[in-house]
């Protein structure tokens, strides 16, 4: 790795400035409303379906969650990109959230005590909502490259992820403060929030891609070539590898905490909470990190930091240290993920950006689920220290590997770009830095 920090002066992008774009503001308000509804629906369904029917430890809760999450990922993930490219994204987002509102409202049947099929209805609604989430997430993420300029993508992606965490906290607060004794009311409120999201997405005036005209321009040979290009390959493989190892660590640490305190599902919930906190902090720092460090450095630092903190957790085997390690690992991953998201969005052909981003999304989510399953299996046969020591060594080896792997970096002396906000050829510092 020749250069750790950038040598050129960074152009700072303030997140609040992005909200001056009216369609970006509409998209973010719709996303926030939808994700508040998601959090409210998910925690209510989890209480009704998982914890109410199973008092088992974290191992059982994790296995159930991973299996349920895998179904829509396998069934819907591969076609999410095709649908996003094939249909107008404004209509897809608006009508998709109308469908989510309908299925969220249907989940009320899962709360009716005398209804014999309530559990089946609950799982069906949960799986359908997860499937719609995969499609609509791809549509939402790929639309950002049309709503902001190229060098603003990291700030836009981090803003979106910050809002996701805030929405999750807001949805959880509504549940615990108002509706935890009335699950049917939770689903009604969530359905109304999904309707609000559908309305705001429908008001977006900017052409955000998709539709028959752009789909007809798709060249499958070019699509395959792009998936094999150094930039895309580097971003996808780095994010999936880090996410895979994080899944192993989360599973192992959750089980260790359960054994330490002998409490039901405490480890799983605690680890998820600290992971969410780390992701939130990573989303906040992502723009600053991207301004000061090139893509390869962000990747290597993310793996090296994870290696160190997991090594510490392995050496001390203390619940508090382990939870701190999860937080820092999630922090490192989130910085890597935001940078990788922006790389995929900025460099994908507009006619096939949905397929490319969906492939990336399925890859790193499948890696996380696989890591969780392997972590559960490994923890049941090996010691906690053995699992985390292996993860620590794997993180370190990955940092060395990605320090050498070709990341598609273009020499700064060869880059001549057309700035999205201008009509003349220039060599913008922000665009040049983003390419690296």
């Amino acid at each position: 790795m020749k250069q750790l920090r950038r040598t050129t002066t960074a152009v700072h992008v303030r997140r609040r400035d992005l909200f001056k774009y009216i369609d970006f503001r509409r998209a973010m308000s719709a996303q926030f409303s939808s994700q508040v509804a998601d959090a409210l629906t998910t925690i209510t369904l989890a209480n009704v379906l998982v914890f109410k029917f199973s008092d088992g430890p974290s191992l059982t809760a994790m296995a159930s969650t991973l299996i349920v999450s895998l179904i829509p990922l396998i069934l819907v993930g591969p076609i999410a990109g095709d649908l996003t490219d094939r249909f107008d994204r404004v209509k897809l987002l608006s009508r998709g959230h109308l469908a989510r509102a309908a299925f969220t409202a249907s989940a009320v049947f899962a709360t009716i005590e005398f209804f014999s099929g309530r559990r089946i209805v609950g799982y069906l609604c949960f799986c359908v909502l997860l499937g719609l989430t995969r499609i609509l997430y791809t549509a939402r993420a790929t639309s950002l490259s049309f709503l902001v300029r190229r060098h603003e993508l990291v700030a836009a992606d981090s803003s979106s992820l910050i809002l996701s965490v805030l929405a999750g906290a807001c949805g959880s607060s509504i549940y615990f403060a108002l509706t935890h004794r009335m699950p049917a009311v939770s689903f009604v409120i969530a359905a109304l929030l999904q309707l609000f999201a559908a309305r705001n997405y429908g008001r977006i005036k900017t052409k955000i891609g998709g539709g028959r005209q752009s789909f007809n321009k798709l060249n499958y040979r070019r699509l395959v070539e792009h998936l094999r290009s150094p930039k895309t390959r580097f971003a996808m493989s780095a994010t999936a590898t880090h996410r895979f190892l994080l899944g192993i660590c989360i599973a192992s640490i959750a089980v260790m905490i359960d054994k330490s305190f002998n409490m039901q599902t405490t480890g799983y919930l605690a680890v998820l909470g600290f992971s969410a906190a780390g992701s939130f902090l990573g989303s906040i720092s992502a723009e600053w990190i991207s301004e000061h460090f090139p893509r390869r450095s962000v990747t290597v630092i993310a793996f090296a930091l994870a290696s160190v903190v997991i090594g510490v957790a392995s050496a001390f085997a203390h619940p508090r240290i382990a939870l701190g390690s999860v937080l820092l690992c999630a922090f490192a991953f989130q910085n890597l993920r935001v940078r990788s998201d922006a790389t995929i969005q900025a460099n994908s052909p507009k006619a096939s950006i949905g397929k490319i981003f969906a492939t990336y999304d399925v890859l790193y989510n499948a890696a996380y689920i696989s890591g969780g399953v392997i972590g559960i299996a490994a923890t049941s046969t090996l010691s906690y220290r053995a699992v985390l020591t292996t993860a620590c060594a794997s993180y370190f080896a990955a940092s060395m590997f990605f320090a050498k792997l070709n990341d598609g970096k273009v020499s700064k002396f060869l880059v001549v770009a057309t700035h999205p906000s201008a009509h003349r050829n220039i060599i913008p510092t922000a665009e040049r830095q983003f390419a690296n």
Side-chain angles (χ1 to χ4, degrees), residues 240-250 303 367 371 390-391 394-395 398:
T241 302
H242 202 295
R243 189 71 164 161
F244 172 77
L245 294 173
L246 181 59
I248 293 175
C249 295
I250 282 178
F303 279 99
T390 303
S394 300
Y395 270 125

Side-chain angles (χ1 to χ4, degrees), residues 421-432:
S421 63
H423 299 285
R424 58 191 179 85
N425 288 334
I426 57 176
I427 310 178
T429 302
E431 300 291 336
R432 181 169 62 246

Side-chain angles (χ1 to χ4, degrees), residues 136-176:
L136 297 176
Y137 169 72
T138 302
R140 187 179 75 236
T142 53
S143 69
L144 288 178
S145 60
F146 296 85
L147 296 174
V148 301
R149 295 175 293 181
R150 179 186 173 98
H151 68 279
E152 295 170 332
L153 276 169
V154 171
D157 284 321
S158 62
S159 297
S160 176
L161 291 169
I162 289 170
L163 286 176
S164 296
V165 176
L166 295 177
C170 185
S172 301
S173 299
I174 292 173
Y175 175 80
F176 287 110

Side-chain angles (χ1 to χ4, degrees), residues 40 43 47 169-181 186:
L40 185 55
I43 196 169
N47 182 62
C170 185
S172 301
S173 299
I174 292 173
Y175 175 80
F176 287 110
L178 301 175
T179 65
H180 65 283
R181 297 183 184 276
S186 291

